[in-house]
Structure formats: structure tokens, C-alpha cells
Amino acid sequence: VFTDTITRKTLTKNIYFYVVAEDNSHNFSKPSDTLAVPVPDIIPPGIAVLQDYTQTNESVTFTWLQSTSEHVAYYYIYRKLDNEAQWKCVRIIKPEELKPDEMIVFTDYPEPSSKNYNYCIEVLDDGKLSSGKTGQTTVRFRGASVVEIPLTLKASMNKNKTCVNLEFS
């Protein structure tokens, strides 16, 4: 039986062991096969950094840099209104959906509201460790400022009064 301790905060993926026997004359045997023991991952993944966001009358688009961590499993994108306590996951992106060094781009089409929308992103690795919800951004999404009203306009000349009658509906 052998017990070993290691530092818990390490980026090393495996610890390697092998056994060598020694006799009373201090002669060593050939080493056994090497055993690779995975180190428990306790370091959360790096965050996804907000690069930019743009807003139109219909949508808001966010661009994040990918996490630099190797074992990212998911990017969760959340949204909530100012008065809401709970975040709602509006999109899950897997790293396989992205090319290496490609930005994470997300476009949302929220309902116009008098309250602010808040967005953030969370990175989870394959060990279910979380970067935490980071990069909270507040967006005012009021919708279009000009409302289109369909208008039918009809003009006719009134010869008796030498004027033009306008009718609209």
C-alpha cells in the first residue's frame, strides 16, 4: 500500500507511478509498467471575455473571446430583466460549434421593455466546474422608436370649389 499527496491546485493532468523492487544487497529490479493516475480537476475554466456588443431596433448581438481553458464543455448565455432574480439560459454553445480562435457570437431578439435586459456568460468544463457568470452587460431595449402606421391616401379634385379633397384611412 502506498499513499501519496500532491498539491490540489495544479494544471498537471496526471501523476505517474512505477514500482522498483530492491533486495537486501541493494540490487534493483526492472521498473514496473508506468501507471498514470488522473489528478482531480479543481481549477475552474477561464472566463469568456466580452469583446463587443451592438444593438439595433430589433436585436442585440454580443461577441465574446473563447475561454483559453482546454477542457471547455459548454458556454451558457443568460438573460434576465432588472426586476427578475433568476437568470434564464437563452443559449448553450458547445466548443465543437466554434472554430479555433473564432469569436462566440450570439444575437438575441428580446421583446421591447421599459426595464433593462442583463446578459452574461458562463463557461463550464468537462468536470462540471464553472467560471461563474461573468461579463454582465446591461442593455436598454425599447424597440423601434418610430411606429409604422399603414396609411391609405386618396386625393380628388373638386372643380366647383377649385380645391383638392384628401381622404385617408
Side-chain angles (χ1 to χ4, degrees), residues 50-54 60-66 75 77 91 93 97-98 102-108 121:
L50 179 65
Q51 184 73 22
D52 191 20
Y53 78 94
T54 56
V60 60
T61 300
F62 293 89
T63 306
W64 290 279
L65 296 173
Q66 290 187 47
Y75 294 97
I77 299 171
R91 176 88 159 88
I93 299 172
E97 299 174 40
L98 305 167
E102 180 182 45
M103 301 283 189
I104 302 165
V105 179
F106 168 70
T107 301
D108 194 23
I121 191 166

PDB file of all heavy atoms in Angstrom, residues 50-54 60-66 75 77 91 93 97-98 102-108 121:
ATOM      1  N   LEU A  50     -15.962  39.470 -22.889  1.00  0.00           N
ATOM      2  CA  LEU A  50     -16.796  40.247 -23.802  1.00  0.00           C
ATOM      3  C   LEU A  50     -15.910  41.142 -24.654  1.00  0.00           C
ATOM      4  O   LEU A  50     -15.157  41.954 -24.143  1.00  0.00           O
ATOM      5  CB  LEU A  50     -17.812  41.090 -23.027  1.00  0.00           C
ATOM      6  CG  LEU A  50     -18.735  41.966 -23.870  1.00  0.00           C
ATOM      7  CD1 LEU A  50     -19.662  41.117 -24.733  1.00  0.00           C
ATOM      8  CD2 LEU A  50     -19.547  42.897 -22.988  1.00  0.00           C
ATOM      9  N   GLN A  51     -16.002  40.976 -25.962  1.00  0.00           N
ATOM     10  CA  GLN A  51     -15.229  41.772 -26.900  1.00  0.00           C
ATOM     11  C   GLN A  51     -16.008  43.017 -27.325  1.00  0.00           C
ATOM     12  O   GLN A  51     -15.469  44.106 -27.378  1.00  0.00           O
ATOM     13  CB  GLN A  51     -14.878  40.918 -28.134  1.00  0.00           C
ATOM     14  CG  GLN A  51     -13.994  41.584 -29.137  1.00  0.00           C
ATOM     15  CD  GLN A  51     -12.560  41.718 -28.657  1.00  0.00           C
ATOM     16  OE1 GLN A  51     -12.124  40.991 -27.774  1.00  0.00           O
ATOM     17  NE2 GLN A  51     -11.835  42.652 -29.193  1.00  0.00           N
ATOM     18  N   ASP A  52     -17.320  42.811 -27.623  1.00  0.00           N
ATOM     19  CA  ASP A  52     -18.119  43.917 -28.136  1.00  0.00           C
ATOM     20  C   ASP A  52     -19.591  43.515 -28.102  1.00  0.00           C
ATOM     21  O   ASP A  52     -19.914  42.331 -28.029  1.00  0.00           O
ATOM     22  CB  ASP A  52     -17.697  44.218 -29.579  1.00  0.00           C
ATOM     23  CG  ASP A  52     -18.282  45.512 -30.113  1.00  0.00           C
ATOM     24  OD1 ASP A  52     -18.701  46.374 -29.299  1.00  0.00           O
ATOM     25  OD2 ASP A  52     -18.335  45.668 -31.344  1.00  0.00           O
ATOM     26  N   TYR A  53     -20.465  44.509 -28.167  1.00  0.00           N
ATOM     27  CA  TYR A  53     -21.870  44.236 -28.418  1.00  0.00           C
ATOM     28  C   TYR A  53     -22.435  45.387 -29.231  1.00  0.00           C
ATOM     29  O   TYR A  53     -21.989  46.530 -29.129  1.00  0.00           O
ATOM     30  CB  TYR A  53     -22.670  43.984 -27.129  1.00  0.00           C
ATOM     31  CG  TYR A  53     -23.040  45.193 -26.329  1.00  0.00           C
ATOM     32  CD1 TYR A  53     -24.282  45.811 -26.505  1.00  0.00           C
ATOM     33  CD2 TYR A  53     -22.176  45.721 -25.384  1.00  0.00           C
ATOM     34  CE1 TYR A  53     -24.636  46.920 -25.762  1.00  0.00           C
ATOM     35  CE2 TYR A  53     -22.518  46.827 -24.639  1.00  0.00           C
ATOM     36  CZ  TYR A  53     -23.752  47.424 -24.830  1.00  0.00           C
ATOM     37  OH  TYR A  53     -24.096  48.518 -24.097  1.00  0.00           O
ATOM     38  N   THR A  54     -23.416  45.051 -30.079  1.00  0.00           N
ATOM     39  CA  THR A  54     -24.081  46.050 -30.916  1.00  0.00           C
ATOM     40  C   THR A  54     -25.580  45.865 -30.770  1.00  0.00           C
ATOM     41  O   THR A  54     -26.057  44.763 -30.501  1.00  0.00           O
ATOM     42  CB  THR A  54     -23.689  45.923 -32.402  1.00  0.00           C
ATOM     43  OG1 THR A  54     -23.983  44.588 -32.843  1.00  0.00           O
ATOM     44  CG2 THR A  54     -22.223  46.212 -32.618  1.00  0.00           C
ATOM     45  N   VAL A  60     -29.966  42.520 -30.328  1.00  0.00           N
ATOM     46  CA  VAL A  60     -28.695  42.861 -29.696  1.00  0.00           C
ATOM     47  C   VAL A  60     -27.744  41.699 -29.971  1.00  0.00           C
ATOM     48  O   VAL A  60     -28.138  40.531 -29.879  1.00  0.00           O
ATOM     49  CB  VAL A  60     -28.854  43.154 -28.184  1.00  0.00           C
ATOM     50  CG1 VAL A  60     -29.419  41.963 -27.440  1.00  0.00           C
ATOM     51  CG2 VAL A  60     -27.551  43.603 -27.570  1.00  0.00           C
ATOM     52  N   THR A  61     -26.500  42.007 -30.385  1.00  0.00           N
ATOM     53  CA  THR A  61     -25.522  40.978 -30.731  1.00  0.00           C
ATOM     54  C   THR A  61     -24.291  41.145 -29.853  1.00  0.00           C
ATOM     55  O   THR A  61     -23.735  42.238 -29.755  1.00  0.00           O
ATOM     56  CB  THR A  61     -25.129  41.071 -32.216  1.00  0.00           C
ATOM     57  OG1 THR A  61     -26.297  40.889 -33.013  1.00  0.00           O
ATOM     58  CG2 THR A  61     -24.107  40.004 -32.583  1.00  0.00           C
ATOM     59  N   PHE A  62     -23.885  40.039 -29.218  1.00  0.00           N
ATOM     60  CA  PHE A  62     -22.706  40.021 -28.354  1.00  0.00           C
ATOM     61  C   PHE A  62     -21.604  39.218 -29.019  1.00  0.00           C
ATOM     62  O   PHE A  62     -21.863  38.221 -29.692  1.00  0.00           O
ATOM     63  CB  PHE A  62     -23.039  39.362 -27.004  1.00  0.00           C
ATOM     64  CG  PHE A  62     -23.999  40.151 -26.181  1.00  0.00           C
ATOM     65  CD1 PHE A  62     -25.369  39.975 -26.309  1.00  0.00           C
ATOM     66  CD2 PHE A  62     -23.535  41.089 -25.281  1.00  0.00           C
ATOM     67  CE1 PHE A  62     -26.253  40.707 -25.553  1.00  0.00           C
ATOM     68  CE2 PHE A  62     -24.415  41.830 -24.512  1.00  0.00           C
ATOM     69  CZ  PHE A  62     -25.782  41.642 -24.651  1.00  0.00           C
ATOM     70  N   THR A  63     -20.368  39.636 -28.782  1.00  0.00           N
ATOM     71  CA  THR A  63     -19.202  38.916 -29.270  1.00  0.00           C
ATOM     72  C   THR A  63     -18.250  38.713 -28.099  1.00  0.00           C
ATOM     73  O   THR A  63     -17.844  39.677 -27.452  1.00  0.00           O
ATOM     74  CB  THR A  63     -18.488  39.711 -30.388  1.00  0.00           C
ATOM     75  OG1 THR A  63     -19.435  40.028 -31.404  1.00  0.00           O
ATOM     76  CG2 THR A  63     -17.364  38.907 -30.989  1.00  0.00           C
ATOM     77  N   TRP A  64     -17.931  37.448 -27.805  1.00  0.00           N
ATOM     78  CA  TRP A  64     -17.010  37.098 -26.730  1.00  0.00           C
ATOM     79  C   TRP A  64     -15.797  36.381 -27.283  1.00  0.00           C
ATOM     80  O   TRP A  64     -15.897  35.650 -28.279  1.00  0.00           O
ATOM     81  CB  TRP A  64     -17.662  36.153 -25.720  1.00  0.00           C
ATOM     82  CG  TRP A  64     -18.724  36.727 -24.862  1.00  0.00           C
ATOM     83  CD1 TRP A  64     -18.566  37.462 -23.726  1.00  0.00           C
ATOM     84  CD2 TRP A  64     -20.144  36.585 -25.031  1.00  0.00           C
ATOM     85  NE1 TRP A  64     -19.787  37.790 -23.182  1.00  0.00           N
ATOM     86  CE2 TRP A  64     -20.770  37.264 -23.967  1.00  0.00           C
ATOM     87  CE3 TRP A  64     -20.931  35.956 -25.982  1.00  0.00           C
ATOM     88  CZ2 TRP A  64     -22.145  37.321 -23.824  1.00  0.00           C
ATOM     89  CZ3 TRP A  64     -22.303  36.023 -25.849  1.00  0.00           C
ATOM     90  CH2 TRP A  64     -22.898  36.699 -24.785  1.00  0.00           C
ATOM     91  N   LEU A  65     -14.663  36.535 -26.615  1.00  0.00           N
ATOM     92  CA  LEU A  65     -13.494  35.703 -26.882  1.00  0.00           C
ATOM     93  C   LEU A  65     -13.706  34.376 -26.177  1.00  0.00           C
ATOM     94  O   LEU A  65     -14.216  34.340 -25.053  1.00  0.00           O
ATOM     95  CB  LEU A  65     -12.222  36.364 -26.338  1.00  0.00           C
ATOM     96  CG  LEU A  65     -11.811  37.694 -26.950  1.00  0.00           C
ATOM     97  CD1 LEU A  65     -10.637  38.290 -26.175  1.00  0.00           C
ATOM     98  CD2 LEU A  65     -11.444  37.518 -28.409  1.00  0.00           C
ATOM     99  N   GLN A  66     -13.293  33.286 -26.806  1.00  0.00           N
ATOM    100  CA  GLN A  66     -13.432  31.971 -26.181  1.00  0.00           C
ATOM    101  C   GLN A  66     -12.529  31.864 -24.952  1.00  0.00           C
ATOM    102  O   GLN A  66     -11.529  32.551 -24.840  1.00  0.00           O
ATOM    103  CB  GLN A  66     -13.039  30.875 -27.170  1.00  0.00           C
ATOM    104  CG  GLN A  66     -13.999  30.682 -28.314  1.00  0.00           C
ATOM    105  CD  GLN A  66     -13.638  29.464 -29.146  1.00  0.00           C
ATOM    106  OE1 GLN A  66     -13.380  28.394 -28.601  1.00  0.00           O
ATOM    107  NE2 GLN A  66     -13.617  29.627 -30.464  1.00  0.00           N
ATOM    108  N   TYR A  75     -20.657  26.718 -23.239  1.00  0.00           N
ATOM    109  CA  TYR A  75     -20.805  28.140 -22.950  1.00  0.00           C
ATOM    110  C   TYR A  75     -22.306  28.367 -22.745  1.00  0.00           C
ATOM    111  O   TYR A  75     -23.095  28.097 -23.647  1.00  0.00           O
ATOM    112  CB  TYR A  75     -20.322  29.005 -24.115  1.00  0.00           C
ATOM    113  CG  TYR A  75     -18.837  28.910 -24.383  1.00  0.00           C
ATOM    114  CD1 TYR A  75     -18.341  28.069 -25.362  1.00  0.00           C
ATOM    115  CD2 TYR A  75     -17.940  29.694 -23.656  1.00  0.00           C
ATOM    116  CE1 TYR A  75     -16.984  27.997 -25.611  1.00  0.00           C
ATOM    117  CE2 TYR A  75     -16.586  29.628 -23.899  1.00  0.00           C
ATOM    118  CZ  TYR A  75     -16.109  28.775 -24.879  1.00  0.00           C
ATOM    119  OH  TYR A  75     -14.760  28.708 -25.124  1.00  0.00           O
ATOM    120  N   ILE A  77     -25.227  31.119 -22.113  1.00  0.00           N
ATOM    121  CA  ILE A  77     -25.529  32.540 -22.205  1.00  0.00           C
ATOM    122  C   ILE A  77     -26.856  32.776 -21.503  1.00  0.00           C
ATOM    123  O   ILE A  77     -27.840  32.084 -21.768  1.00  0.00           O
ATOM    124  CB  ILE A  77     -25.579  33.000 -23.676  1.00  0.00           C
ATOM    125  CG1 ILE A  77     -24.213  32.751 -24.323  1.00  0.00           C
ATOM    126  CG2 ILE A  77     -25.970  34.476 -23.765  1.00  0.00           C
ATOM    127  CD1 ILE A  77     -24.182  32.954 -25.811  1.00  0.00           C
ATOM    128  N   ARG A  91     -29.181  30.395 -24.447  1.00  0.00           N
ATOM    129  CA  ARG A  91     -28.422  29.698 -25.495  1.00  0.00           C
ATOM    130  C   ARG A  91     -27.303  28.907 -24.850  1.00  0.00           C
ATOM    131  O   ARG A  91     -26.650  29.371 -23.911  1.00  0.00           O
ATOM    132  CB  ARG A  91     -27.834  30.706 -26.476  1.00  0.00           C
ATOM    133  CG  ARG A  91     -26.949  30.142 -27.573  1.00  0.00           C
ATOM    134  CD  ARG A  91     -27.775  29.739 -28.793  1.00  0.00           C
ATOM    135  NE  ARG A  91     -26.956  29.668 -29.990  1.00  0.00           N
ATOM    136  CZ  ARG A  91     -26.294  28.589 -30.389  1.00  0.00           C
ATOM    137  NH1 ARG A  91     -26.341  27.483 -29.676  1.00  0.00           N
ATOM    138  NH2 ARG A  91     -25.592  28.612 -31.484  1.00  0.00           N
ATOM    139  N   ILE A  93     -23.835  26.899 -26.120  1.00  0.00           N
ATOM    140  CA  ILE A  93     -22.943  26.697 -27.269  1.00  0.00           C
ATOM    141  C   ILE A  93     -21.870  25.693 -26.869  1.00  0.00           C
ATOM    142  O   ILE A  93     -21.219  25.847 -25.826  1.00  0.00           O
ATOM    143  CB  ILE A  93     -22.291  28.030 -27.701  1.00  0.00           C
ATOM    144  CG1 ILE A  93     -23.371  29.027 -28.123  1.00  0.00           C
ATOM    145  CG2 ILE A  93     -21.293  27.800 -28.832  1.00  0.00           C
ATOM    146  CD1 ILE A  93     -22.864  30.427 -28.392  1.00  0.00           C
ATOM    147  N   GLU A  97     -19.028  23.664 -31.975  1.00  0.00           N
ATOM    148  CA  GLU A  97     -19.749  24.541 -32.896  1.00  0.00           C
ATOM    149  C   GLU A  97     -18.887  25.718 -33.359  1.00  0.00           C
ATOM    150  O   GLU A  97     -19.272  26.447 -34.261  1.00  0.00           O
ATOM    151  CB  GLU A  97     -21.015  25.094 -32.226  1.00  0.00           C
ATOM    152  CG  GLU A  97     -22.009  24.039 -31.814  1.00  0.00           C
ATOM    153  CD  GLU A  97     -23.174  24.623 -31.037  1.00  0.00           C
ATOM    154  OE1 GLU A  97     -23.653  25.719 -31.395  1.00  0.00           O
ATOM    155  OE2 GLU A  97     -23.602  23.992 -30.055  1.00  0.00           O
ATOM    156  N   LEU A  98     -17.746  25.903 -32.705  1.00  0.00           N
ATOM    157  CA  LEU A  98     -16.879  27.038 -32.996  1.00  0.00           C
ATOM    158  C   LEU A  98     -15.569  26.555 -33.603  1.00  0.00           C
ATOM    159  O   LEU A  98     -15.080  25.485 -33.263  1.00  0.00           O
ATOM    160  CB  LEU A  98     -16.569  27.812 -31.708  1.00  0.00           C
ATOM    161  CG  LEU A  98     -17.758  28.291 -30.894  1.00  0.00           C
ATOM    162  CD1 LEU A  98     -17.296  28.749 -29.519  1.00  0.00           C
ATOM    163  CD2 LEU A  98     -18.469  29.408 -31.624  1.00  0.00           C
ATOM    164  N   GLU A 102     -12.090  31.355 -33.063  1.00  0.00           N
ATOM    165  CA  GLU A 102     -13.272  32.071 -33.560  1.00  0.00           C
ATOM    166  C   GLU A 102     -13.999  32.704 -32.375  1.00  0.00           C
ATOM    167  O   GLU A 102     -14.024  32.155 -31.287  1.00  0.00           O
ATOM    168  CB  GLU A 102     -14.202  31.085 -34.282  1.00  0.00           C
ATOM    169  CG  GLU A 102     -15.462  31.719 -34.837  1.00  0.00           C
ATOM    170  CD  GLU A 102     -16.374  30.690 -35.503  1.00  0.00           C
ATOM    171  OE1 GLU A 102     -16.574  29.604 -34.922  1.00  0.00           O
ATOM    172  OE2 GLU A 102     -16.867  30.988 -36.584  1.00  0.00           O
ATOM    173  N   MET A 103     -14.574  33.854 -32.608  1.00  0.00           N
ATOM    174  CA  MET A 103     -15.340  34.533 -31.565  1.00  0.00           C
ATOM    175  C   MET A 103     -16.658  33.797 -31.319  1.00  0.00           C
ATOM    176  O   MET A 103     -17.191  33.151 -32.215  1.00  0.00           O
ATOM    177  CB  MET A 103     -15.656  35.967 -31.975  1.00  0.00           C
ATOM    178  CG  MET A 103     -14.459  36.815 -32.245  1.00  0.00           C
ATOM    179  SD  MET A 103     -13.717  37.314 -30.716  1.00  0.00           S
ATOM    180  CE  MET A 103     -12.545  38.501 -31.309  1.00  0.00           C
ATOM    181  N   ILE A 104     -17.184  33.942 -30.111  1.00  0.00           N
ATOM    182  CA  ILE A 104     -18.515  33.456 -29.787  1.00  0.00           C
ATOM    183  C   ILE A 104     -19.461  34.600 -30.120  1.00  0.00           C
ATOM    184  O   ILE A 104     -19.346  35.680 -29.544  1.00  0.00           O
ATOM    185  CB  ILE A 104     -18.632  33.092 -28.302  1.00  0.00           C
ATOM    186  CG1 ILE A 104     -17.605  32.027 -27.918  1.00  0.00           C
ATOM    187  CG2 ILE A 104     -20.047  32.646 -27.963  1.00  0.00           C
ATOM    188  CD1 ILE A 104     -17.411  31.886 -26.422  1.00  0.00           C
ATOM    189  N   VAL A 105     -20.380  34.372 -31.047  1.00  0.00           N
ATOM    190  CA  VAL A 105     -21.317  35.419 -31.457  1.00  0.00           C
ATOM    191  C   VAL A 105     -22.728  34.949 -31.128  1.00  0.00           C
ATOM    192  O   VAL A 105     -23.122  33.850 -31.498  1.00  0.00           O
ATOM    193  CB  VAL A 105     -21.190  35.735 -32.965  1.00  0.00           C
ATOM    194  CG1 VAL A 105     -22.195  36.805 -33.370  1.00  0.00           C
ATOM    195  CG2 VAL A 105     -19.774  36.188 -33.292  1.00  0.00           C
ATOM    196  N   PHE A 106     -23.469  35.807 -30.433  1.00  0.00           N
ATOM    197  CA  PHE A 106     -24.844  35.489 -30.049  1.00  0.00           C
ATOM    198  C   PHE A 106     -25.716  36.697 -30.342  1.00  0.00           C
ATOM    199  O   PHE A 106     -25.408  37.809 -29.934  1.00  0.00           O
ATOM    200  CB  PHE A 106     -24.918  35.146 -28.559  1.00  0.00           C
ATOM    201  CG  PHE A 106     -26.311  35.086 -28.022  1.00  0.00           C
ATOM    202  CD1 PHE A 106     -27.173  34.061 -28.387  1.00  0.00           C
ATOM    203  CD2 PHE A 106     -26.783  36.063 -27.165  1.00  0.00           C
ATOM    204  CE1 PHE A 106     -28.467  34.012 -27.896  1.00  0.00           C
ATOM    205  CE2 PHE A 106     -28.076  36.031 -26.668  1.00  0.00           C
ATOM    206  CZ  PHE A 106     -28.919  34.989 -27.039  1.00  0.00           C
ATOM    207  N   THR A 107     -26.819  36.461 -31.056  1.00  0.00           N
ATOM    208  CA  THR A 107     -27.788  37.510 -31.350  1.00  0.00           C
ATOM    209  C   THR A 107     -29.104  37.151 -30.685  1.00  0.00           C
ATOM    210  O   THR A 107     -29.589  36.034 -30.820  1.00  0.00           O
ATOM    211  CB  THR A 107     -27.989  37.685 -32.867  1.00  0.00           C
ATOM    212  OG1 THR A 107     -26.719  38.005 -33.456  1.00  0.00           O
ATOM    213  CG2 THR A 107     -28.980  38.788 -33.186  1.00  0.00           C
ATOM    214  N   ASP A 108     -29.669  38.108 -29.961  1.00  0.00           N
ATOM    215  CA  ASP A 108     -30.932  37.914 -29.264  1.00  0.00           C
ATOM    216  C   ASP A 108     -31.951  38.920 -29.800  1.00  0.00           C
ATOM    217  O   ASP A 108     -31.586  40.035 -30.182  1.00  0.00           O
ATOM    218  CB  ASP A 108     -30.735  38.113 -27.762  1.00  0.00           C
ATOM    219  CG  ASP A 108     -31.914  37.597 -26.948  1.00  0.00           C
ATOM    220  OD1 ASP A 108     -32.663  36.731 -27.445  1.00  0.00           O
ATOM    221  OD2 ASP A 108     -32.077  38.054 -25.795  1.00  0.00           O
ATOM    222  N   ILE A 121     -22.340  35.458 -19.427  1.00  0.00           N
ATOM    223  CA  ILE A 121     -21.922  34.171 -19.986  1.00  0.00           C
ATOM    224  C   ILE A 121     -21.222  33.372 -18.893  1.00  0.00           C
ATOM    225  O   ILE A 121     -20.599  33.946 -17.988  1.00  0.00           O
ATOM    226  CB  ILE A 121     -20.999  34.376 -21.215  1.00  0.00           C
ATOM    227  CG1 ILE A 121     -20.775  33.060 -21.967  1.00  0.00           C
ATOM    228  CG2 ILE A 121     -19.693  35.040 -20.813  1.00  0.00           C
ATOM    229  CD1 ILE A 121     -20.165  33.238 -23.342  1.00  0.00           C
TER     230      ILE A 121
END
